[in-house]
Amino acid sequence: ERTLGLSGRESLEGGMWFVFPKADHYAFWMKDMKFPIDIIWVGDDFTIVDIKENVLPSSFPETFRPKAKALFVLEVPAGFSKTHQIHIGGKVSLEDK
């Protein structure tokens, strides 16, 4: 499921949160994607360590890796990071809804 991610989906409402077993430089790609996304890498202390905005489906087979190790990755619709003023060094908080 982690490898498949958003491949083949028509759209994304909200986001997709990936949790890895340990912090590392996890790469993402746009294989079989149908829409652009922002990729947000988050460290084990919930600090945003890198962001790649507006990653296009046509970028495949290019892969995108963070500058620093991440334990979590959040994929959101393209433009989300800019609209919500998300930046490297910011903190992520999880809320139960």
Side-chain angles (χ1 to χ4, degrees):
E1 288 181 6
R2 188 181 294 150
T3 301
L4 186 60
L6 296 170
S7 296
R9 293 187 187 200
E10 296 296 326
S11 64
L12 173 64
E13 291 184 30
M16 181 171 272
W17 181 253
F18 295 85
V19 179
F20 292 95
K22 66 178 184 127
D24 208 341
H25 294 92
Y26 294 103
F28 279 70
W29 61 3
M30 296 296 284
K31 183 177 183 186
D32 299 323
M33 289 288 293
K34 298 181 179 184
F35 53 91
I37 60 172
D38 291 352
I39 305 170
I40 303 168
W41 288 269
V42 181
D44 57 4
D45 63 352
F46 293 95
T47 298
I48 297 169
V49 298
D50 207 355
I51 300 172
K52 181 67 176 172
E53 295 183 68
N54 197 35
V55 182
L56 301 174
S58 61
S59 67
F60 180 77
E62 183 179 359
T63 59
F64 303 93
R65 294 182 184 273
K67 297 173 187 166
K69 290 182 179 181
L71 184 60
F72 310 102
V73 174
L74 178 61
E75 292 181 335
V76 290
F80 184 92
S81 299
K82 189 172 191 171
T83 299
H84 296 279
Q85 300 178 353
I86 295 172
H87 53 84
I88 295 171
K91 286 284 195 174
V92 171
S93 64
L94 303 178
E95 296 179 11
D96 188 16
K97 295 215 178 198

